[in-house]
Amino acid sequence: MDLLEIRQLSLNFSGIVALSDVHMAVKKGQIHAIIGPNGAGKTSLFNCLSGVYVPTEGDILVEGKSIIGLKPHKIAKLGIARTFQNIELFANMNVIDNLLLGRHIHMKSGPFSGSFFIGKTLREEVKNRLKVEEIIDFLEIEKVRKQLVGSLPYGIQKRVELGRALTMNPKILLLDEPAAGMNLEETEDIARFVLDINEELGITILLVEHDMGVVMDIVDEITVLDFGSQVANGSPREIQANPKVIEAYLGQEE
Amino acid sequence: MNTEFMFFIQLVVSGIALGCLYALIAVGFVLILKATGIMNFAQGEVIMLSAFICYFLVTTFHVPFLVAVLLTGIIAGLMGIVTERLILRPMLGEPIFSVVMVTIGLSIFLRSMAGILFGHNNLVFPSPFPTEAVKMGGIVVSQTEIWIMLSSLVLAAVFFIFFKYSRMGLAMRGTADHQDVALLMGISVKQVFALIWAVSFITAAASGVFLANVMVINLGLSVVAIGAFPAIVLGGLESIPGAIVGGLAIGIIENLAGGYLDQIIGGGVKDVTPFVVLFLVLMIRPYGLFGKKEIERV
Amino acid sequence: MAIRSKTFSESYHEDIKLFRTIWLKSWIGLFLVVLAVLPLIGDPYIVYLINLSCIATIAALGLNILTGFTGQISLGHAAFFAIGAYATAIISNRFQVPFWVCLPASGVLAACAGIFVGIPCLRLKGLYLAMATMSFGVVVEYVVITWDNVTKGVRGISVPTLSIFGYPLDSNNKIYYFLIVLTALAILSAANLMRTRVGRAFIAIRDRDIAASVMGVNLTQYKVMAFAISSFYAGIAGGLYAYVMEYIHPEHFTFLLSVQYLAMIIIGGLGSVLGSVFGAVFITIIPEFIKAFAQFLTLLFPALQDKYDDGWNIAAFGLLIMLFLIFEPKGLSGIWNRIKTCFKNWPYTY
Amino acid sequence: MLKVNNIEVVYNDVILVLKGISLEVPDGAVVALLGANGAGKTTTLKAISGILDSQNGELEDGQIEFMGNPIHRLDPDRIVKKGITMVPEGRRVFENLNVMENIKIGAHTRTDRRQVKRDVEKTFDYFPVLEGRKDRLAIFLSGGEQQMLVICRALISKPKLMMLDEPSLGLAPLLVKEIFAMLRVVNDKQKTGILLVEQNARVALNFAKYGYIMENGKIVLDGPTDLLVKNKDVKEFYLGVTDKMEKKSYAQVKHYKRRKRWLS
Amino acid sequence: MEFKKMKTVLTITALICLLVSPAFAERGVTEDTIKVGLILVKTGPVAALGLPDGHGMVDYMKYLNDQGGVHGRKVQVIWEDDEFQAPKSVAALKKLIHRDKVLCLITTGGSNQTIANMKTINKYKISNIPNALMQEFFDPYQPYIFAMGATYECQYQCIVDYIFGDMKADKPRIGVLYAKKEYGKIGLKAIRERAKAYGVDLVSELVLPTGAVDASSQVLTLQKNKVDYVITCDVLPPVISFLKTAEKYSYKPKAVFGFNWATDDMIVKACGKGAENYIGVNFVGGWNDDSPGMKLVRQIAKTNGREVKDIGLTSLYIHGIGASYLFGEAFKRVGKDLNPDSLKAAFETFKDFDTGGIFPPLTYTDKSHAPPEMVKLFKADVPNNRLVSITGWRTPKKMD
């Protein structure tokens, strides 16, 4: 069974068709990319997956269970984590707190126990802090631990956002343009992290990216969207050779 | 015609007159809200000050009424520019909360200054409008009210045209969206802000002068501005036509509640009804009747 | 160079402690001692002002949790405060129950009202929310005035003296200790709450609500929870107010009171527990300082004696708020943080 | 045309972001400014267009000259009037204005209103897509359309120098090509100078005649682009090719913490 | 730097206010002074009521001092502004007692402030004359509160009596406009009960709020219900709004009545012809009365350079002078040995004490501090812009 399956998904938005009849499947353990021109509906698809938008038609199955109509926080509990195109970090918290928020679904303390901060709550905080520190090590952001994320440079913020998604211990990680606005070195870093996450942590990854260098090099499968509908699906090699994709998206190589 | 029906019509008509006043006050709020995102809590004090200024111009300095109105407008406009220059410009780029708080500080300051400068007595404006009311088919409208309605209408039209078609109006709308990008377009944001505060204060002055004609002038006059809050929200905070429709709606609702509900439920429902209506409207339309729904983009 | 002990931590457990250095602990100890002996040396006037500050602090903490931390603007805080005050007055009058039933009951009632307002207001944001909560305030005021066989309406209602296990706290100096302890508890629990899971979720909602929900924060639940906690604090503060004043009247709980609480948290610092304390004390005490200063001026310049208008006191208050925010838009907690860094780095400037 | 001479910029009175930047854009030239995130490229553009104040920044030292006149003390609206327009990063359209109004607002500084009308039609020739969306609110445009719109909006003010901050950010490859082709036309026809800040070094170096490379608030390398592309470091760190002009694969990036250093 | 300076200044001022608190053996009384407190609103919208009242109180004490004081002592008045808020009023009283150490208060201001202070007043034996007129202040007996001025109930009973008695109305259609305040609610109830006693039900009971922009819906409703006697339980500004709106709709009831806070020459000045049918009740004399007391009032105003238009509400100025007059008299009666107890005792020797027409004659005993339940009625004199009294002091008729 595929980990994630999208069936005949359509989304209308103030009279504008954002997605129509999209279907695709993400296999467990793979890195899967969605590419397509701007306005093709890639981000809208992500928003449907994480429950921010409710699709007009179709179905989304995670491990065979439909997540249509579930609120975002319920979907998060099912193991879907994501990052955003324009960084959506909590700018007034420090890095640790941002990552600890990622642990939200794995923690239990409520308003009463929180007010007293003894015993179980304290132990829980420390335990989750350990997990957060692991991710901090993994992403090499030890130095900025206690800084407010709002004051960090763009590249680091992107990495923190990735970390925040990772602390959720997701089954599937949705990455929305992880390499956008990065220079070569930073792009390399991100590419490496994506591979590591996939290999070492065994997390399935679905990503949207415009940097064809990255996409073609690291992913297992690609889905191409244009005007809200699916144009092609296949391995990087197949996609690169697909005339429809070249016409709509890649352009002729000079 | 039967008296019940006449009663209803008369309530609606006087509600419209009252609503025009609310609309005028609401427009003053909305102008600043639209361009700068700031809710100016000192608006009521400007209204009150204008009423006092106009009163003293007419009584102490024996300035003819129309000239006094003009002078009041000019003084209010200058006050707007000074306020923007001294108080709000240093706050550019600061959190909106702090800026709103500054206007609350300003309101405290202005109110007590009004007390110091103009005293605490109840004053009655020597109204230039004849007290003879106009009767049309049994419906009574006072001349003051006719003036209020006419000038609200004219102001609304002027603002609408200004924002839709003029270069400066467009610049203001742009500034409302993104201040920093507006700067890059060669728009002098400072100028825009100074202008908007001046215009808003002038609108407040207009409502102040009219209020002076229908109410006793005292420091409590500033509270009327709070009565205009429901109008602003109903109109959707940033829409001038919305503010006007909102004002009218609130005026009519208030009067109808006063005429009918007060007898049934009893005890001052008139004042509470606008707020209850406001609450209910927000439950159904969280962005007011005319407000734009913000699209969540992530 | 002075070496300060304990500026590093050896475990995460230590890293998340509230009071980390020995210095901080001793300063707090000293402060508590000063507070404890104050009623013995200061006059009842000052004690009364501190009592008012304590009540304001608890209410401001509540509002800061909702507005400062969770980002839900409320202009109806006075209403929750009023509900707490009236609950205490009515319950203690009708059923003659002691404070440890009355006070929590007031808090819970106010919290219920908070939930009642919070749920329909879930979809509202910014000014729209402010106006909706303000409407609630207007309605509560109306109900309190109109429902006179319960609230005694515009007559006002008197409150029995607060007594702790038979010992009546019948003077301001006696009730003072009670208030100090409760305020300290309120501050501590707010500070604790804000650095745990719930508090983080609140801040996340304020900063980016969509991102927060995608990270697994149940927006509905947490927004309503913020409303409930905030109004719980307001309810407790209201109950204490009723005990301190021993008589309450609808005119004490107007829209202006809501604005005043908002002023406290903005001046103190939004999203800062300590800021709420500073703001509450500032707004309560500063008018007294201004008055004292004005008196001082008339001593210096006797010519002012008869000319001085009391309006100047309030004008100065308004001016002070404006100037303060123009120079320090982040509020008192901003100044506090600067002083703290200054101390930390002493004797170096940066 | 534009001369930036040794400028220093401080944020919030404490953080020194630009540590003496000098660069030059000759008449009608296309110049690229490259560098890592946080190197200070955007700050440089902001300093030139005079909008540092509104962001708590301050120009501490140095001069900026445009057509021989110093402009670093001018308000941003005066600078626009002199002929410098900046296209900010991140497709900053006025969301609540429609496409037509967005373009018109770009002509704020122009007084010849009749000519503006004709010019609006002309800009639509560059991006015919926009003409069909004339009355749509800008918020409803797709990312690519928004990027076109902000470029149109900048063009309508008839700038002598156009500064673009990451025009390719988040755009599909085909669209990137289209936009740069259009910029080329503008540069050729109207002789508008272009100062380009880009992350996408490959595109930028291909497009510009001269390039500057920034690191940590300083210019570390500059030269004609045809020379720059041959530089070993540029090749490795900006173009991602090996000495033998082969493209590296991201999948083969090594798993150790790398640091690059520039001599400076 | 700036902050440091500010801090130093603040600290110094704080220290000064702490240290400059003089200590006296007997609170508020020395060889040559009597310290008297006064808590009354000075700023904000309600100051229109507080200022003339307080000025009257201060002016009379000044007059007393100019006459040589009381038994060689000059009276020193310390006026604290409470902004009409109970918490501030409580704070002000604490300051007056503990810092300034006053002997008594001339007044504690409005009803809700006075009640909030009640306990302290009793504890520290602070004699005072509240200027709100509530039954709670003298029933049950409050040892240190000396109520002055007919209660709202009494005032409205007199109004209803006037409608049935003097105006000889037959089956009058009575409507009430009230504010949702203390006086409004008490007034409404009193009118309702009194009318009932005459066998008439009220036709309309409408709220007219204090800050009302216009009174259209109220006027229209009264007009529709053919109300011919309107009784207002409202302060001046809304009553003025009402009269003006009524004029607009040419609504002319036979009479419009108002109680003491709305019985002032101001109403005629403001409404002109609109006030033609206005009749007010008050427990202080009229400004132009020819009584010795009112002559004194006018003389005090003159020596203090106060003209009628500066004073504002003259009826309140008169009230202020009256209150101080009572205190002056009490000080005189005590003699040299002045303390809280002897002051109270002196007040309790008042028997049919005549203020010369400022107040009706009044009596206090050690069992009752009830005010004289007497009022005068005043009618608008439009050409002369003032109210003139149309009756002498009268009490509500005994009903059985």
Side-chain angles (χ1 to χ4, degrees), chain E residues 172-299:
Chain E
R173 296 180 66 79
I174 302 175
V176 177
L177 290 174
Y178 65 102
K180 299 195 90 181
K181 306 267 169 163
E182 197 63 51
Y183 46 82
K185 290 248 179 158
I186 296 175
L188 173 67
K189 196 165 154 250
I191 298 165
R192 202 192 282 143
E193 280 165 10
R194 194 67 167 182
K196 191 94 193 150
Y198 281 104
V200 171
D201 283 324
L202 299 183
V203 180
S204 306
E205 297 171 6
L206 299 172
V207 169
L208 180 61
T210 315
V213 178
D214 86 338
S216 290
S217 73
Q218 287 89 343
V219 169
L220 289 168
T221 312
L222 292 174
Q223 200 169 22
K224 190 182 80 169
N225 293 346
K226 300 201 175 57
V227 170
D228 47 12
Y229 294 91
V230 179
I231 306 178
T232 63
C233 313
D234 249 309
V235 285
L236 259 177
V239 174
I240 292 174
S241 281
F242 169 73
L243 288 173
K244 286 175 118 184
T245 315
E247 193 185 7
K248 177 181 116 187
Y249 290 107
S250 31
Y251 168 54
K252 283 210 179 66
K254 290 195 180 117
V256 178
F257 294 92
F259 76 142
N260 70 301
W261 302 126
T263 302
D264 193 282
D265 295 347
M266 174 80 194
I267 212 153
V268 196
K269 285 174 199 151
C271 302
K273 260 180 69 92
E276 247 176 355
N277 48 358
Y278 185 78
I279 298 174
V281 293
N282 209 338
F283 55 84
V284 299
W287 182 259
N288 295 296
D289 285 3
D290 205 21
S291 58
M294 293 315 300
K295 273 185 191 150
L296 177 69
V297 170
R298 290 197 293 268
Q299 184 208 325

Side-chain angles (χ1 to χ4, degrees), chain B:
Chain B
M1 254 186 283
N2 85 30
T3 48
E4 246 339 290
F5 184 67
M6 284 304 288
F7 177 64
F8 174 77
I9 295 290
Q10 184 69 61
L11 277 178
V12 171
V13 171
S14 62
I16 291 174
L18 177 65
C20 281
L21 248 177
Y22 280 145
L24 208 55
I25 299 171
V27 167
F29 275 107
V30 167
L31 280 170
I32 293 178
L33 252 176
K34 197 174 155 73
T36 61
I38 297 166
M39 181 85 180
N40 176 23
F41 272 86
Q43 201 78 12
E45 275 66 25
V46 178
I47 292 170
M48 180 255 294
L49 274 175
S50 310
F52 270 112
I53 291 171
C54 194
Y55 173 87
F56 280 103
L57 283 176
V58 171
T59 56
T60 313
F61 299 99
H62 305 289
V63 179
F65 177 70
L66 281 179
V67 182
V69 171
L70 213 68
L71 277 175
T72 312
I74 292 170
I75 295 172
L78 286 176
M79 259 168 58
I81 291 171
V82 170
T83 308
E84 196 276 333
R85 184 74 197 83
L86 289 183
I87 299 165
L88 291 136
R89 194 168 302 170
M91 299 295 287
L92 261 185
E94 299 299 348
I96 222 86
F97 260 118
S98 308
V99 186
V100 171
M101 197 60 230
V102 168
T103 69
I104 293 178
L106 181 66
S107 78
I108 297 172
F109 179 73
L110 288 181
R111 203 181 316 146
S112 46
M113 284 313 282
I116 295 166
L117 290 175
F118 304 121
H120 293 85
N121 289 339
N122 295 312
L123 304 174
V124 173
F125 197 80
S127 181
F129 306 112
T131 39
E132 282 298 298
V134 180
K135 282 185 188 143
M136 287 173 292
I139 302 295
V140 182
V141 190
S142 77
Q143 305 214 11
T144 321
E145 285 172 347
I146 293 177
W147 278 104
I148 293 174
M149 291 195 248
L150 278 180
S151 29
S152 310
L153 219 73
V154 170
L155 263 179
V158 167
F159 281 135
F160 181 76
I161 293 167
F162 174 73
F163 278 109
K164 186 82 193 165
Y165 299 107
S166 80
R167 191 179 74 115
M168 205 58 196
L170 192 62
M172 283 181 176
R173 284 164 63 202
T175 311
D177 265 10
H178 293 298
Q179 274 175 36
D180 43 345
V181 185
L183 276 174
L184 292 174
M185 297 298 105
I187 296 165
S188 169
V189 173
K190 290 176 191 168
Q191 243 178 47
V192 166
F193 282 0
L195 190 67
I196 213 86
W197 280 83
V199 173
S200 165
F201 274 33
I202 290 170
T203 316
S207 29
V209 170
F210 284 127
L211 270 177
N213 276 294
V214 294
M215 275 178 88
V216 177
I217 308 173
N218 62 17
L219 298 184
L221 206 63
S222 53
V223 182
V224 179
I226 294 176
F229 281 3
I232 308 164
V233 180
L234 275 191
L237 289 183
E238 294 187 355
S239 143
I240 285 177
I244 288 171
V245 177
L248 288 176
I250 293 297
I252 295 170
I253 289 169
E254 208 173 86
N255 253 7
L256 289 181
Y260 294 105
L261 284 182
D262 229 21
Q263 306 267 28
I264 308 162
I265 306 176
V269 192
K270 186 178 177 180
D271 287 357
V272 185
T273 317
F275 288 94
V276 174
V277 170
L278 161 74
F279 197 81
L280 294 178
V281 168
L282 283 181
M283 294 307 101
I284 301 156
R285 285 187 63 95
Y287 296 90
L289 291 177
F290 290 82
K292 278 186 214 95
K293 187 176 174 352
E294 266 172 55
I295 296 165
E296 312 276 15
R297 282 209 149 189
V298 283

Side-chain angles (χ1 to χ4, degrees), chain E residues 323-381:
Chain E
S324 275
Y325 191 106
L326 298 182
F327 266 98
E329 176 65 21
F331 291 152
K332 278 180 200 156
R333 290 189 183 193
V334 175
K336 210 60 187 151
D337 183 24
L338 185 58
N339 59 45
D341 294 312
S342 62
L343 182 62
K344 168 179 180 272
F347 266 115
E348 285 166 355
T349 62
F350 283 20
K351 189 163 186 344
D352 280 329
F353 176 64
D354 184 17
T355 44
I358 300 177
F359 287 150
L362 79 164
T363 305
Y364 294 132
T365 66
D366 57 359
K367 305 243 165 15
S368 159
H369 293 172
E373 296 279 38
M374 274 186 257
V375 292
K376 268 186 190 180
L377 276 89
F378 296 83
K379 193 170 173 22
D381 173 9

